[in-house]
Amino acid sequence: MVDLSAGALTPLRVLDLSRHLAGPFATMMVADLGAEVIKIEQPDTGDDTRGRCPPVDCRGMSTYFQSVNRNKASLVLDLNDAHDQEIARQLALSADVIVSDLESAVLDGADLGYQSLQANPGLVYCSISGAGHPLETPGHDLLIQALGGLMSITGPPDAEPQKAGVAIVDVLAGLFATVGILAALRHRDATGEGQHVEVNLLTSLLSGLVNQATAYTSAGVIPRRLGNWHPSVAPYEPFAAADEHLVIAVGNDRQFRGLCTVVGLEALAEDPRFATNSHRNDNRDELHNYLAAEFRKLPAHDWVERCSAAGVPAGVINSIAGAYSLADSLGLAPIVEVPRPDGTTVRLARNPINLSATPPSYRSAPPELGDSLRSNDPGKYCWSIR
């Protein structure tokens, strides 16, 4: 009987050969669900995100690194060194899963590529790249946001293209990698056979463009920058109230009629220019002007209360601090206290997955560089190192 006390993926063993964000995000997801993860880091500097600061916490550790590396052990290995290559290979041959975003030349030189590890027939090997192999476009989120079209639809129509406020392509790729890994493990459970999972940032973004992508693929429409307007729904945008901004997210004609009642413009609901969503999209400039004049008359929270009472989706635009405060007030407990070896804790974002029988666990804080035990004999190197 497998002990699932640590999570649904206990006792899965994962070798993390990834850096930056996409791969470490995926390995943290499986670690939260109980997998044992060993993160291989380069000597002296470790993962590049250790140096991505400010900000840093009270101990001087990069908060960027901490965001995707809890529940892992860190092992420093130089993959250009023969001795360290052998340690890494021994770990790889006994791993259930490998996640890598390393260049082919590095993997081949260390004998750590997928084909080189066929002596481990149940291995699930996940490769993450910028645009797939053999074309190794650098996997930088900003570059893929540009190449993948996201920047072309982000920002005001009369301003320069903008990136998203977070590395959303890396996060998408990390999630797709996690799904691919879990699917491959399900196949292995049924057949005993591992396989190669390949995810790249470019097609992860193209898939994540959803309705904007299908506008092009199915209708030949090339989406453009609309600022805060939605290409298919109106009004679905922010408005300036008397004190701050709020967002109105009208998703259907019934909600629009409710909004018209809330702002005292009932006639708009019967106006042929605005009666249906299609007509509202055709006349969104006029509609915006009518609504904007009314919203300026009261504070944002007053409008939110009135809209909510009428079944109209509305909310203020929170800061990150405000967003966490809201989630906390709703009982979502969005922050977890994760223990450090010295008895202190670090506050991190909770894993959003809720499982009734095997929920995520928060066993260890993001590791100090090379915090794990090191053996001079790769044949004696073992997994349970924490």
Side-chain angles (χ1 to χ4, degrees):
M1 181 69 68
V2 175
D3 178 14
L4 296 179
S5 60
L9 298 182
T10 303
L12 201 72
R13 296 175 297 187
V14 179
L15 186 62
D16 186 355
L17 300 178
S18 66
R19 310 148 294 172
H20 309 309
L21 185 53
F25 187 89
T27 54
M28 186 179 74
M29 288 295 102
V30 296
D32 286 353
L33 296 173
E36 181 178 9
V37 178
I38 296 178
K39 180 180 180 69
I40 304 301
E41 299 192 69
Q42 61 188 350
D44 301 323
T45 58
D47 189 314
D48 286 349
T49 60
R50 288 186 181 273
R52 290 186 183 171
C53 48
V56 297
D57 68 4
C58 61
R59 300 172 55 151
M61 182 181 283
S62 162
T63 58
Y64 196 125
F65 176 82
Q66 292 184 77
S67 69
V68 288
N69 283 294
R70 66 173 169 242
N71 288 333
K72 304 178 187 179
S74 170
L75 177 64
V76 173
L77 294 177
D78 181 355
L79 295 183
N80 293 310
D81 175 83
H83 177 267
D84 285 6
Q85 288 174 356
E86 182 58 22
I87 293 175
R89 183 167 171 80
Q90 290 297 325
L91 287 169
L93 289 172
S94 58
D96 297 292
V97 176
I98 292 176
V99 178
S100 174
D101 61 8
L102 298 178
E103 294 81 5
S104 297
V106 174
L107 293 171
D108 292 342
D111 215 19
L112 289 171
Y114 175 65
Q115 295 299 330
S116 300
L117 297 172
Q118 294 304 296
N120 182 357
L123 177 65
V124 172
Y125 193 112
C126 179
S127 298
I128 301 175
S129 64
H133 300 292
L135 176 63
E136 294 194 355
T137 299
H140 296 290
D141 184 275
L142 175 62
L143 180 59
I144 302 301
Q145 286 198 36
L147 294 174
L150 181 57
M151 292 180 67
S152 75
I153 59 172
T154 306
D158 55 351
E160 66 180 13
Q162 295 181 6
K163 70 178 184 67
V166 72
I168 191 65
V169 181
D170 279 327
V171 174
L172 279 171
L175 288 172
F176 284 129
T178 304
V179 172
I181 290 167
L182 295 177
L185 288 170
R186 177 66 183 91
H187 173 76
R188 191 183 75 168
D189 289 343
T191 67
E193 177 186 58
Q195 62 181 297
H196 195 187
V197 178
E198 294 183 273
V199 173
N200 68 77
L201 272 64
L202 181 57
T203 55
S204 293
L205 172 55
L206 295 180
S207 176
L209 291 175
V210 288
N211 60 301
Q212 295 283 49
T214 309
Y216 169 69
T217 61
S218 295
V221 174
I222 300 176
R224 57 190 176 88
R225 292 193 300 283
L226 296 173
N228 287 316
W229 283 357
H230 192 284
S232 305
V233 185
Y236 198 91
E237 61 194 282
F239 290 92
D243 55 349
E244 57 182 324
H245 284 79
L246 77 156
V247 160
I248 299 296
V250 168
N252 54 52
D253 296 340
R254 177 187 56 77
Q255 290 175 350
F256 179 65
R257 290 191 294 272
L259 175 64
C260 292
T261 300
V262 167
V263 300
L265 296 174
E266 290 86 347
L268 291 185
E270 307 303 325
D271 191 314
R273 296 171 297 172
F274 313 123
T276 68
N277 179 68
S278 177
H279 289 113
R280 290 194 294 276
N281 270 291
D282 291 339
N283 299 284
R284 62 170 70 226
D285 285 305
E286 295 172 84
L287 177 60
H288 175 88
N289 292 336
Y290 280 123
L291 295 175
E294 298 303 315
F295 281 125
R296 284 193 289 265
K297 295 177 180 178
L298 292 174
H301 280 87
D302 288 2
W303 285 120
V304 170
E305 290 181 5
R306 296 183 182 203
C307 286
S308 297
V312 178
V316 298
I317 299 178
N318 281 324
S319 66
I320 300 296
Y324 270 89
S325 178
L326 171 63
D328 192 56
S329 72
L330 295 173
L332 299 177
I335 297 175
V336 292
E337 302 271 350
V338 186
R340 292 189 175 108
D342 64 2
T344 63
T345 60
V346 59
R347 287 160 53 85
L348 299 172
R350 177 180 293 279
N351 189 311
I353 300 170
N354 291 311
L355 297 173
S356 61
T358 53
S361 60
Y362 309 96
R363 305 177 300 282
S364 62
E368 300 291 340
L369 180 60
D371 72 342
S372 307
L373 298 176
R374 176 74 176 273
S375 170
N376 290 322
D377 181 357
K380 294 180 180 179
Y381 199 87
C382 64
W383 274 90
S384 297
I385 56 181
R386 276 178 286 192

